[in-house]
Amino acid sequence: MSFTPVQSDDVAIATIRTLAADVVAKANSGHPGAPMGMAPAAHVLFSRFVNANPKNSKWFNRDRFVLSNGCALQYVLLHLLGYKLSMDDLKAFRQLDSLTPGHPEAGHTDGVEVTTGPLGQGFGNGVGLAMAQAHLAATFNKDGFELIKNYTYVFCGDGCLMEGVASEAASLAGHLQLGNLIVVYDDNHISIDGDTNVAFTENVDQRFMSYGWQVLVVENGDTDLASIHNAIAAAKQEKNKPTIIRLKTTIGYGSKQQGTHGVHGSPLKADDIQALKTKFGLPADQSFYVPQATYDAYAEVAKRGAALEAEWNSLLTAYGQKYPKEHAELVRRIAGGLPENWQQSLPVYKPSDSAVASRKLSEIVLTAITPALPELFGGSADLTGSNLTKVKGTTDFQPPSTGLGSYAGTYIRFGVREHGMGAIANGIAAYGGIIPFVATFLNFVSYAAGATRLSALSGHQVIWVATHDSIGLGEDGPTHQPIETAIHLRATPNLAFWRPADGNETSAAYYSAITSKKTPSVLSLSRQNLPNLEGSTIEKALKGGYVVHEEQSEDLTIVSAGSEVSIAIEAAAKLKAEGIKTRVVSLPCWHTFDQQSEEYRLSVLRSGAPILSLEALSTAGWQKYSHEQYGLPGWGASGPYQKVYEKFGITGSNIASVGKKVVNFYKQKGGPVVSPLVKAF
Amino acid sequence: MSFTPVQSDDVAIATIRTLAADVVAKANSGHPGAPMGMAPAAHVLFSRFVNANPKNSKWFNRDRFVLSNGCALQYVLLHLLGYKLSMDDLKAFRQLDSLTPGHPEAGHTDGVEVTTGPLGQGFGNGVGLAMAQAHLAATFNKDGFELIKNYTYVFCGDGCLMEGVASEAASLAGHLQLGNLIVVYDDNHISIDGDTNVAFTENVDQRFMSYGWQVLVVENGDTDLASIHNAIAAAKQEKNKPTIIRLKTTIGYGSKQQGTHGVHGSPLKADDIQALKTKFGLPADQSFYVPQATYDAYAEVAKRGAALEAEWNSLLTAYGQKYPKEHAELVRRIAGGLPENWQQSLPVYKPSDSAVASRKLSEIVLTAITPALPELFGGSADLTGSNLTKVKGTTDFQPPSTGLGSYAGTYIRFGVREHGMGAIANGIAAYGGIIPFVATFLNFVSYAAGATRLSALSGHQVIWVATHDSIGLGEDGPTHQPIETAIHLRATPNLAFWRPADGNETSAAYYSAITSKKTPSVLSLSRQNLPNLEGSTIEKALKGGYVVHEEQSEDLTIVSAGSEVSIAIEAAAKLKAEGIKTRVVSLPCWHTFDQQSEEYRLSVLRSGAPILSLEALSTAGWQKYSHEQYGLPGWGASGPYQKVYEKFGITGSNIASVGKKVVNFYKQKGGPVVSPLVKAF
Ligand SMILES: [Ca+2]
Ligand SMILES: [Ca+2]
């Protein structure tokens, strides 16, 4: 397939460049340089290669496009291609409540696959999108029915390649031989600090070859459309390696300041924009001008996309006739529905069942539900034996040539790459048809904080299996013991942080994580064994908080989470022996509890007696649910875990004595004790 | 310098291997495989190359050693070399309150330079240690007085190299041509998930060449001491590139399970240890056995180190005679003292001074104090023009051959590498003589969370200039607007998170950050302009919290921080006009405020009237200091910042109306209003 230029090419490219300049100038904020430089590549890619239907941005077999260096280019393209983004939307760029916020957000703007802007994330998402395609293709395609065969195209800049998250994802992508992944690297030699010479002088070609990528170079990305075309075509030809096309461009091409960081992050001046338009043969006095030839050219592209979707729909129907079972399953997974009664496989526990670590309880859940939920696709950042995430009998997701597994395999070996793993999981979730899970120690979820917040902002269903979740990990010590991690994740909007106390709560956490289609979940799990509690059930735990041990006319309520709930119950028993009636509330998920009715919440954390919180982490945040807080005053300690708990006074007997102090204090204080949930507004 | 084997070599290596096995076995926890595999390299390095004095672990010109894959090897070496670590300490490995916690912690154990265990961090620290050496050498060395000329040696494993933080640091180290940095990579083909083939198949040699490193390979790291020696010698010869020595080893060498991940993270069995000892000619029935020949050999090493220090001390004295001014300065900086009266250069503001963004106020401080504090050495992750961290007239820290600066330059171009930057800063701080500062948007400090927590755990003085600290950044929108970041950092023990409200508070934040020698500080700074407040002074702000607007017999107190304090004051004025007396408390640093006397804290957040908190971030944590909380209920929004504030009701008039609700609510409730700081224990 060789490149055939048409008249509309130059016009279209000029339109993208000037429209990007206008959009940024009107907002008086944004980054004009990169869109202007990347316009030729964007035009060649969308006019000649991308299979997508702007009239149905959710067509499952569409090619995925990720603008990792998120900027106005995405909006300009979506508008020209005919997605649900009007010229008025472009004019509202970076204005309140517009469809065109500062950086593209998935779920907010039609046609945006993943949220980008924070550098490096989009690159990682792209690897995830490509993994999802490879996995679903291997799972569902049949001879003559290549239903899942799209490419993932990622545009990125210098900044993305400097970020470690991209390095991690790139190394894994090379290992996985993702021939369906094509990255176009905008090598314009400029970043915010000026010439990349000041900090970024590595040999990018050699680096990507070291990862096992195909590396192609386009010397003149400003005007040589044929070379751009040929590079993308060659990238598509290479089936066993991801490709990076190093496209040498001039940032802000056409501006008087082209090639300098003056065009990176601030609007062009009015006279510069006028000169630019004149130079490219567009009317200098018109803003937001799109020649009809450009609209027409992209309308043809959209028509091609719609035809491709129609063709695909026929293929899907034929597939259904030949493979009704697989068809039903694929359709279900695309729609995001869950199989009927899957939840019946969730384990249920009685208090007489033996004590088990919640990481092990998690393994028991995964083992139980995996047969019912083939959409579970995930793995660990090189802690499989500690996170207990590999269900026996599952196959590794590996390139067949390695002899270690297949693309149909459901278990991913991420390597020690937490941040890359998080960004990849976002990409997998964005692809659809899959529920990704990832795993590491809770403490090292912090390494991936850049990705977890974007899961939450984008509404990606990603499940983090975060084990070794407190000083209860014992010997590894303070370097591995989270203190601040739980409140960090609890304070993240739209993220469900579950810290289950026993078997039933672990089942509840999974039920919630599996059914929350627009919310990521972090399951915080213990290394040490936990008893199964008398008062726990899956149903109660699903409220996010409930009374696990009830008393009437109590003197005290202890509210706790995870591995400390059983210690609270122990303390309550000791207090009862001394005549102090103590309720215990388990609060495994604040995010879920906060969504319950006020009436329910006030019945759990009720007025009338003081509430003491207990958790072997920072107390920060517990003040919302309690009058008094017991937790860790600083870092943890290395030693057998029971001794570490003793050192910090997190034992039944010490908490009982703390509880007594609380009761006495409130007695002396006098007056009614009002629930901390009773608020003025 | 060629390698001359001596009889004690094999014995010493056998000792390291068996001692590591014993240490892990007694603890019944830990990682025996890596120390056993790295024993030959460790022995050759310490017996032939490392210049250090075990009797004075703080000798300034010592070679720095970093065990990035932190494990028992470090403790075994420190003991054998004669650091303050006894055999009893080794026997207490991973026991409570021992000097030998699960992973080495700086400041906890004599001779440990940096805290390692969380993978990749030590690699980044090593780059920082090497940068510090290069910088101080260029600053202080004179002809004939090479006072600062040490090497930094880093041992790391597969896991460290998979981590993005190491990729970032490695790329920068190559750019910076750090010839004083020597990394020994333990290429044993095993990580926790088993053979590295499952996830880590990149060409490491090629990757490091792409970064501009010298790459050397030792084919037999198990027994070929001469090759190990020659590689380290060649690494020292290369003055313009960092070197990585890929040392092929057998994990758990000598164990029956050698070469498998069975020896990675669990103790060897008793019979395996016995067989191991027999194999290496040591008594099979003795544990923790060190042949006298081994102690003797290392005593010689220690003697050499002591002599080197004595020689260096003489050189320093002679330097003092020839260069008294530089000598005094170097001695001051090594001791960590500050120049007299440096703080007199801190800017002081009056309310009539014009409104300025606190990122700009930060620039004004840096500009004012940099002449007095040459130990300030830092830069930005490619956001110099936004973070405003480059003081005019300062020179870039760059290899002279680039023509862009010199090693004496004080401004670092980190590139878009936040996590690497954080780890590097920890290494720079650990070197001594320097106060490192680093900069990015507050939101992207999250990318470096793995490093910031280790700053705090290790007590490294690192200053983060974290600008664009709320929805006040406006147009960039939710992807860039921190919500959960402040509470994450506030909940980190031993970390001072400052969110100054105006000029005087910004000066106070810097005063605190500069004088806190064992605590990292994050300065959270606004993009938008902030008025200078009537009631602020540096002295008051240094308490971490103070009354910025006083009223007697108040109806309400509003407690706030950073850019919202002036909005609180505006609300207070509106309320006053309606007869509601409202105090305003500014709480720029919780960590500092919490250290004040109870009496002081209770005078600021006093009983008698309800306290309402206000911050344009998550409200999580504010319940500790207030009865009611106003903040962001979810993600931010993209738009001009004033409109974004309006959208979320963070304006003087809305906060006044919220304040009225609070006052009415507490009136209706009746009874005394007690400060939230009054606690039962
Ligand atoms: Ca660039
Ligand atoms: Ca290894």
Side-chain angles (χ1 to χ4, degrees):
Chain A
M1 189 174 63
S2 71
F3 180 65
T4 314
V6 294
Q7 216 180 352
S8 60
D9 287 331
D10 287 347
V11 185
I13 292 166
T15 307
I16 296 172
R17 283 177 164 142
T18 55
L19 201 48
D22 280 343
V23 163
V24 173
K26 180 156 195 321
N28 195 25
S29 173
H31 307 77
M36 291 168 68
M38 290 293 270
H43 173 69
V44 171
L45 179 67
F46 279 91
S47 65
R48 305 306 200 277
F49 293 99
V50 170
N51 294 330
N53 179 7
K55 297 305 164 210
N56 174 14
S57 66
K58 296 297 169 201
W59 171 37
F60 200 70
N61 193 42
R62 69 192 180 275
D63 288 336
R64 267 63 170 183
F65 173 72
V66 175
L67 189 65
S68 189
N69 47 346
C71 62
L73 176 61
Q74 177 115 46
Y75 300 133
V76 167
L77 292 169
L78 290 172
H79 170 71
L80 294 176
L81 286 159
Y83 286 81
K84 297 189 185 78
L85 205 70
S86 69
M87 187 58 91
D88 282 344
D89 294 324
L90 291 189
K91 289 178 182 168
F93 179 55
R94 296 188 158 220
Q95 303 309 303
L96 206 58
D97 299 325
S98 74
L99 288 176
T100 47
H103 299 275
E105 295 170 30
H108 185 87
T109 310
D110 185 46
V112 172
E113 304 283 358
V114 290
T115 303
T116 53
L119 296 177
Q121 299 295 333
F123 190 107
N125 301 158
V127 174
L129 288 162
M131 286 167 65
Q133 188 279 330
H135 175 65
L136 290 176
T139 306
F140 288 102
N141 287 358
K142 304 277 183 193
D143 258 4
F145 293 95
E146 273 207 275
L147 280 168
I148 314 288
K149 62 165 188 176
N150 71 281
Y151 283 86
T152 296
Y153 297 101
V154 177
F155 278 14
C156 76
D158 296 296
C160 288
L161 295 192
M162 287 190 246
E163 291 283 9
V165 59
S167 296
E168 293 176 12
S171 178
L172 187 60
H175 168 77
L176 292 173
Q177 305 175 17
L178 298 173
N180 56 353
L181 175 63
I182 298 169
V183 173
V184 180
Y185 158 43
D186 181 16
D187 179 20
N188 61 18
H189 236 271
I190 292 290
S191 66
I192 294 180
D193 269 18
D195 195 299
T196 51
N197 270 345
V198 303
F200 188 53
T201 51
E202 63 178 42
N203 183 327
V204 171
D205 295 359
Q206 193 176 19
R207 176 175 146 211
F208 276 81
M209 281 187 273
S210 82
Y211 297 143
W213 287 52
Q214 171 177 232
V215 177
L216 304 173
V217 181
V218 173
E219 288 292 337
N220 171 6
D222 293 331
T223 59
D224 184 357
L225 306 189
S227 289
I228 295 171
H229 179 279
N230 295 343
I232 299 172
K236 289 184 68 175
Q237 283 306 309
E238 171 59 72
K239 302 291 185 195
N240 298 312
K241 288 179 178 183
T243 294
I244 186 166
I245 300 170
R246 184 162 62 83
L247 183 79
K248 293 166 82 168
T249 72
T250 305
I251 191 167
Y253 183 81
S255 156
K256 291 172 186 170
Q257 290 195 77
Q258 70 175 35
T260 74
H261 86 293
V263 293
H264 180 287
S266 25
L268 304 193
K269 297 215 162 60
D271 65 330
D272 194 3
I273 295 184
Q274 287 190 0
L276 182 79
K277 290 174 180 169
T278 305
K279 189 169 179 175
F280 291 136
L282 297 177
D285 57 343
Q286 290 194 44
S287 280
F288 294 95
Y289 175 73
V290 178
Q292 193 55 43
T294 299
Y295 276 133
D296 291 348
Y298 285 116
E300 282 303 310
V301 171
K303 219 168 110 184
R304 186 188 71 208
L308 284 168
E309 183 184 0
E311 208 178 289
W312 187 85
N313 285 331
S314 306
L315 189 69
L316 182 64
T317 305
Y319 180 81
Q321 280 154 0
K322 195 153 178 196
Y323 304 101
K325 210 179 114 201
E326 288 84 350
H327 176 268
E329 185 67 358
L330 176 60
V331 168
R332 175 185 75 77
R333 287 178 60 172
I334 290 175
L338 293 167
E340 256 184 76
N341 300 325
W342 73 272
Q343 71 275 17
Q344 291 179 357
S345 52
L346 283 170
V348 179
Y349 296 83
K350 302 181 301 294
S352 56
D353 290 332
S354 60
V356 183
S358 53
R359 60 175 172 148
K360 180 77 189 168
L361 293 165
S362 161
E363 183 186 36
I364 294 168
V365 172
L366 283 171
T367 303
I369 67 177
T370 290
L373 293 173
E375 55 264 59
L376 284 171
F377 177 53
S380 161
D382 195 44
L383 285 169
T384 296
S386 300
N387 299 141
L388 304 178
T389 33
K390 187 168 190 313
V391 171
K392 255 186 208 145
T394 54
T395 303
D396 274 15
F397 175 77
Q398 295 280 5
S401 72
T402 59
L404 299 169
S406 79
Y407 285 137
T410 52
Y411 195 73
I412 306 171
R413 304 285 180 173
F414 283 104
V416 192
R417 301 180 178 111
E418 298 83 3
H419 201 176
M421 176 169 75
I424 286 169
N426 288 344
I428 293 172
Y431 191 92
I434 294 175
I435 301 176
F437 67 94
V438 295
T440 183
F441 288 179
L442 177 59
N443 190 50
F444 300 117
V445 179
S446 303
Y447 272 44
T452 53
R453 83 184 305 274
L454 289 187
S455 295
L457 177 59
S458 310
H460 292 318
Q461 182 180 24
V462 173
I463 302 175
W464 282 80
V465 179
T467 70
H468 296 63
D469 73 342
S470 77
I471 52 169
L473 63 83
E475 288 85 349
D476 266 322
T479 55
H480 288 53
Q481 291 166 351
I483 304 296
E484 74 289 6
T485 317
I487 186 60
H488 172 208
L489 295 166
R490 284 167 173 156
T492 304
N494 190 39
L495 187 148
F497 179 84
W498 281 89
R499 195 160 182 261
D502 73 350
N504 290 331
E505 290 195 8
T506 305
S507 289
Y510 268 98
Y511 180 86
S512 168
I514 298 285
T515 54
S516 298
K517 305 304 285 182
K518 292 286 176 197
T519 298
S521 301
V522 177
L523 313 187
S524 170
L525 303 165
S526 74
R527 175 176 185 259
Q528 75 272 29
N529 286 344
L530 308 178
N532 281 292
L533 306 176
E534 192 98 31
S536 78
T537 67
I538 295 179
E539 293 66 31
K540 287 193 224 165
L542 279 173
K543 303 260 189 197
Y546 66 99
V547 183
V548 64
H549 174 76
E550 187 57 284
E551 292 280 352
Q552 298 312 314
S553 311
E554 74 276 13
D555 301 296
L556 177 71
T557 293
I558 305 180
V559 58
S560 185
S563 43
E564 286 72 66
V565 175
S566 61
I567 296 171
I569 291 174
E570 197 190 324
K574 285 182 196 293
L575 287 166
K576 176 126 189 178
E578 302 189 44
I580 299 171
K581 289 191 284 182
T582 305
R583 293 164 82 230
V584 179
V585 168
S586 180
L587 209 64
C589 182
W590 298 6
H591 176 79
T592 304
F593 183 68
D594 289 351
Q595 289 167 9
Q596 306 306 317
S597 70
E598 192 183 14
E599 189 192 350
Y600 176 75
R601 285 183 289 116
L602 282 173
S603 75
V604 174
L605 294 173
R606 68 187 174 202
S607 296
I611 302 174
L612 166 68
S613 77
L614 170 65
E615 192 170 42
L617 301 169
S618 166
T619 57
W622 276 107
Q623 295 85 358
K624 182 175 175 185
Y625 304 102
S626 61
H627 302 94
E628 304 284 329
Q629 297 77 36
Y630 197 92
L632 293 191
W635 302 103
S638 169
Y641 83 88
Q642 300 92 334
K643 298 211 168 168
V644 179
Y645 269 86
E646 267 170 40
K647 178 184 171 78
F648 293 110
I650 304 189
T651 59
S653 54
N654 187 56
I655 296 308
S657 104
V658 171
K660 264 187 280 182
K661 276 187 212 161
V662 171
V663 171
N664 290 334
F665 176 81
Y666 278 83
K667 263 191 197 144
Q668 284 179 5
K669 199 175 172 187
V673 182
V674 179
S675 167
L677 298 182
V678 175
K679 288 289 183 187
F681 60 93
Chain B
M1 189 174 65
S2 72
F3 180 65
T4 314
V6 294
Q7 216 179 352
S8 60
D9 287 332
D10 287 346
V11 184
I13 292 166
T15 307
I16 296 172
R17 283 178 164 141
T18 56
L19 202 46
D22 281 342
V23 163
V24 172
K26 178 155 197 320
N28 196 24
S29 172
H31 307 76
M36 291 170 67
M38 290 294 270
H43 173 69
V44 170
L45 180 67
F46 279 91
S47 65
R48 306 303 200 280
F49 292 100
V50 170
N51 295 329
N53 179 7
K55 299 303 163 210
N56 175 15
S57 65
K58 295 298 169 200
W59 171 37
F60 200 71
N61 193 41
R62 69 191 179 277
D63 288 335
R64 267 63 171 184
F65 174 73
V66 175
L67 188 66
S68 189
N69 47 346
C71 61
L73 177 61
Q74 177 114 44
Y75 300 133
V76 168
L77 292 170
L78 290 173
H79 169 70
L80 294 176
L81 286 160
Y83 286 82
K84 297 190 187 74
L85 205 69
S86 68
M87 187 58 91
D88 281 345
D89 294 325
L90 291 190
K91 290 179 182 167
F93 179 54
R94 295 188 159 218
Q95 302 309 303
L96 206 59
D97 299 326
S98 74
L99 288 176
T100 46
H103 298 275
E105 295 171 29
H108 185 86
T109 309
D110 185 46
V112 172
E113 304 283 358
V114 291
T115 302
T116 54
L119 296 176
Q121 299 294 333
F123 190 107
N125 300 158
V127 174
L129 287 162
M131 286 168 66
Q133 188 279 331
H135 176 64
L136 290 177
T139 306
F140 287 103
N141 288 356
K142 302 277 183 192
D143 259 4
F145 293 95
E146 273 207 274
L147 280 168
I148 315 289
K149 62 164 186 178
N150 72 281
Y151 283 86
T152 295
Y153 297 100
V154 177
F155 278 14
C156 76
D158 296 296
C160 288
L161 296 191
M162 287 190 246
E163 291 283 9
V165 58
S167 295
E168 292 175 13
S171 178
L172 187 61
H175 168 77
L176 292 173
Q177 305 174 19
L178 299 174
N180 57 352
L181 174 63
I182 298 169
V183 173
V184 180
Y185 158 41
D186 181 16
D187 179 20
N188 61 18
H189 235 271
I190 293 291
S191 66
I192 294 180
D193 269 18
D195 194 299
T196 52
N197 269 346
V198 303
F200 188 53
T201 51
E202 63 178 44
N203 184 327
V204 171
D205 295 358
Q206 193 177 18
R207 176 175 146 210
F208 276 82
M209 282 187 271
S210 83
Y211 296 144
W213 288 50
Q214 172 178 232
V215 177
L216 305 173
V217 181
V218 173
E219 289 292 338
N220 171 6
D222 294 330
T223 59
D224 184 356
L225 306 189
S227 289
I228 295 170
H229 178 277
N230 295 342
I232 299 173
K236 290 184 69 177
Q237 283 306 310
E238 171 59 71
K239 303 290 186 197
N240 299 312
K241 288 178 177 183
T243 294
I244 185 166
I245 299 170
R246 184 161 62 82
L247 183 78
K248 292 165 83 168
T249 72
T250 304
I251 191 167
Y253 183 80
S255 155
K256 292 174 185 170
Q257 290 196 78
Q258 70 174 33
T260 75
H261 85 293
V263 293
H264 181 285
S266 25
L268 304 193
K269 297 214 164 58
D271 65 329
D272 195 4
I273 295 184
Q274 287 189 1
L276 182 79
K277 289 175 181 170
T278 305
K279 189 167 178 176
F280 290 137
L282 296 178
D285 56 344
Q286 289 192 46
S287 281
F288 294 95
Y289 175 73
V290 178
Q292 193 54 44
T294 300
Y295 274 134
D296 290 348
Y298 283 117
E300 281 303 311
V301 172
K303 218 167 112 184
R304 185 187 74 208
L308 284 168
E309 183 184 1
E311 206 178 290
W312 186 83
N313 284 332
S314 307
L315 188 70
L316 182 64
T317 305
Y319 180 81
Q321 281 153 359
K322 193 153 179 196
Y323 304 103
K325 210 179 113 201
E326 288 83 350
H327 176 267
E329 185 68 358
L330 176 59
V331 168
R332 174 185 76 76
R333 286 178 62 173
I334 290 176
L338 294 167
E340 256 182 76
N341 300 325
W342 73 273
Q343 72 274 18
Q344 291 179 357
S345 53
L346 283 169
V348 179
Y349 295 83
K350 304 182 301 294
S352 56
D353 291 331
S354 59
V356 184
S358 53
R359 61 174 172 149
K360 180 78 186 166
L361 293 165
S362 161
E363 183 186 37
I364 294 167
V365 172
L366 283 171
T367 304
I369 66 177
T370 290
L373 293 172
E375 54 264 59
L376 284 171
F377 177 55
S380 161
D382 195 45
L383 285 169
T384 295
S386 300
N387 300 141
L388 304 177
T389 33
K390 187 168 191 313
V391 171
K392 253 185 210 145
T394 54
T395 303
D396 274 14
F397 175 77
Q398 295 279 5
S401 72
T402 60
L404 299 168
S406 79
Y407 285 137
T410 52
Y411 195 73
I412 306 170
R413 304 285 180 173
F414 283 103
V416 192
R417 302 180 177 110
E418 299 83 4
H419 201 176
M421 177 169 74
I424 286 169
N426 288 343
I428 293 172
Y431 191 92
I434 294 174
I435 301 176
F437 67 94
V438 295
T440 183
F441 287 179
L442 177 60
N443 191 50
F444 299 117
V445 179
S446 303
Y447 272 45
T452 52
R453 83 184 306 273
L454 289 187
S455 296
L457 177 58
S458 311
H460 292 319
Q461 183 179 26
V462 173
I463 303 175
W464 282 80
V465 179
T467 69
H468 296 63
D469 73 341
S470 77
I471 52 169
L473 64 82
E475 287 86 349
D476 267 321
T479 56
H480 288 53
Q481 290 166 352
I483 304 295
E484 73 290 4
T485 317
I487 185 60
H488 171 208
L489 296 166
R490 284 167 172 155
T492 304
N494 190 39
L495 187 148
F497 179 83
W498 282 89
R499 194 158 182 263
D502 74 350
N504 290 330
E505 291 196 8
T506 305
S507 289
Y510 267 99
Y511 180 86
S512 168
I514 299 283
T515 54
S516 299
K517 305 305 285 182
K518 293 285 174 196
T519 300
S521 301
V522 176
L523 313 186
S524 168
L525 303 165
S526 74
R527 174 175 186 259
Q528 75 271 31
N529 286 344
L530 308 178
N532 282 291
L533 307 176
E534 192 98 30
S536 79
T537 67
I538 295 179
E539 293 67 31
K540 287 193 224 165
L542 279 174
K543 303 259 189 199
Y546 65 100
V547 183
V548 64
H549 174 73
E550 188 56 285
E551 291 280 352
Q552 298 312 314
S553 311
E554 74 276 13
D555 302 296
L556 177 70
T557 292
I558 305 180
V559 58
S560 185
S563 43
E564 286 72 64
V565 175
S566 61
I567 296 170
I569 292 174
E570 198 190 323
K574 285 183 195 293
L575 287 165
K576 177 125 189 180
E578 303 189 43
I580 299 172
K581 289 191 284 181
T582 304
R583 293 163 82 233
V584 179
V585 168
S586 180
L587 208 63
C589 182
W590 297 7
H591 176 78
T592 304
F593 182 68
D594 289 350
Q595 290 167 7
Q596 306 305 317
S597 70
E598 192 183 15
E599 189 191 351
Y600 177 75
R601 286 183 288 117
L602 282 172
S603 77
V604 174
L605 294 172
R606 68 188 175 200
S607 295
I611 302 173
L612 166 67
S613 77
L614 171 65
E615 192 170 44
L617 301 169
S618 165
T619 57
W622 275 106
Q623 295 85 357
K624 181 175 176 184
Y625 304 102
S626 60
H627 302 93
E628 303 284 328
Q629 297 78 34
Y630 197 92
L632 293 190
W635 302 103
S638 169
Y641 82 89
Q642 301 90 337
K643 298 211 166 167
V644 179
Y645 268 86
E646 267 170 41
K647 177 185 172 77
F648 293 109
I650 304 188
T651 60
S653 55
N654 186 56
I655 297 306
S657 104
V658 170
K660 264 187 280 183
K661 277 186 212 160
V662 171
V663 171
N664 290 335
F665 176 80
Y666 278 83
K667 263 191 198 142
Q668 284 180 2
K669 198 176 175 186
V673 181
V674 179
S675 166
L677 298 181
V678 176
K679 288 288 183 189
F681 61 92

